[in-house]
Amino acid sequence: MTDVIPDVQILEVGPPALAEYDRIPSAFEIRTILEVQSLESGLGGLRLVEVPVPQPYVKDYDAYEDGPPSAWVNQFDISNWGILLARAGQQPVGAAAIAFNTAGVNMLEGRSDLAVLWDIRVHPDWRRLGLSRRLLKAAADWASLRGCTMMKIETQNVNISACRFYASQGCQLGAIHRFGYITHPLVSHEAMLLWYLHLPYRSLPDLKENKFP
């Protein structure tokens, strides 16, 4: 995949621009998942095996309890967050949010050298053109400038395209939390996957193409 969208600008914006962020859909179709299989009841480790779902369906992150990006300000103090918006002309076509140094965000593990890629999304019409890579690079650079040595990313076993993307960009799968959403009825069947990206982020041509799983 090569970047073919040089006219798109990625800029850091403030909370008022979250209304624009909302306009970028986060929905995607699920046809297969990475099924978590335990070996020797887990003593032999866990493995991820791609299997088809009985019936394809659409998952929309904004439809769940956290709501769309504009709702973040009602749940967290986002004054230390980075909010990046990609625009083609006046049209928002992609975005990313980085959580950093924020009380109450458990994903940050109480560390001052860790950032969390809270969200990354690309408009369906602009996917598979290299914009995700540019957004990830911009997010990693933002975190590096604040002294972070690592960026943490949460996804799920139902989002195979995201898993393949993170693996291809040098992220390492650090944890599989098989029952991570057990208290959330709508997604209790999903497994939490935690990825880690060491910073500073290497330039894209230096990264090797990884296959996942």
Side-chain angles (χ1 to χ4, degrees), residues 81-109:
W81 290 26
I83 303 171
L84 307 176
L85 195 63
R87 294 190 182 102
Q90 298 301 310
Q91 179 188 0
V93 296
I98 312 100
F100 170 70
N101 191 24
T102 305
V105 177
N106 295 331
M107 283 272 288
L108 288 169
E109 305 173 21

Side-chain angles (χ1 to χ4, degrees), residues 42-89:
L43 292 178
L46 301 174
R47 65 182 178 188
L48 299 171
V49 179
E50 185 172 357
V51 299
V53 296
Q55 180 66 41
Y57 64 98
V58 172
K59 176 173 181 176
D60 183 357
Y61 284 105
D62 291 346
Y64 293 100
E65 56 191 47
D66 287 344
S70 58
W72 295 339
V73 294
N74 300 321
Q75 304 167 61
F76 307 101
D77 175 6
I78 66 170
S79 56
N80 290 332
W81 290 26
I83 303 171
L84 307 176
L85 195 63
R87 294 190 182 102

Side-chain angles (χ1 to χ4, degrees), residues 14-195:
L18 288 174
E20 281 189 84
Y21 202 130
D22 284 350
R23 291 166 53 193
I24 305 166
S26 65
F28 63 98
E29 186 179 35
I30 297 170
R31 292 184 172 274
T32 62
I33 66 169
L34 294 170
E35 182 178 81
V36 182
Q37 299 179 354
S38 60
L39 307 177
E40 300 177 25
S41 297
L43 292 178
L46 301 174
R47 65 182 178 188
L48 299 171
V49 179
E50 185 172 357
V51 299
V53 296
Q55 180 66 41
Y57 64 98
V58 172
K59 176 173 181 176
D60 183 357
Y61 284 105
D62 291 346
Y64 293 100
E65 56 191 47
D66 287 344
S70 58
W72 295 339
V73 294
N74 300 321
Q75 304 167 61
F76 307 101
D77 175 6
I78 66 170
S79 56
N80 290 332
W81 290 26
I83 303 171
L84 307 176
L85 195 63
R87 294 190 182 102
Q90 298 301 310
Q91 179 188 0
V93 296
I98 312 100
F100 170 70
N101 191 24
T102 305
V105 177
N106 295 331
M107 283 272 288
L108 288 169
E109 305 173 21
R111 293 170 53 181
S112 61
D113 67 334
L114 179 68
V116 170
L117 185 63
W118 195 260
D119 182 83
I120 184 169
R121 61 182 66 190
V122 173
H123 191 284
D125 294 342
W126 291 78
R127 292 174 185 171
R128 304 192 67 79
L129 297 176
L131 184 52
S132 293
R133 292 192 294 174
R134 289 179 57 185
L135 284 165
L136 181 65
K137 173 95 168 47
D141 289 347
W142 186 97
S144 292
L145 287 173
R146 285 151 183 83
C148 293
T149 60
M150 186 172 285
M151 188 161 66
K152 183 178 181 180
I153 308 163
E154 176 184 346
T155 190
Q156 298 76 39
N157 64 324
V158 299
N159 196 344
I160 292 184
S161 61
C163 292
R164 294 189 186 282
F165 169 67
Y166 294 133
S168 74
Q169 297 304 296
C171 302
Q172 298 293 315
L173 182 59
I176 300 172
H177 194 342
R178 191 174 187 179
F179 307 110
Y181 305 108
I182 200 69
T183 61
H184 302 273
L186 293 177
V187 292
S188 60
H189 61 288
E190 298 181 1
M192 179 189 298
L193 306 180
L194 297 177
W195 298 83

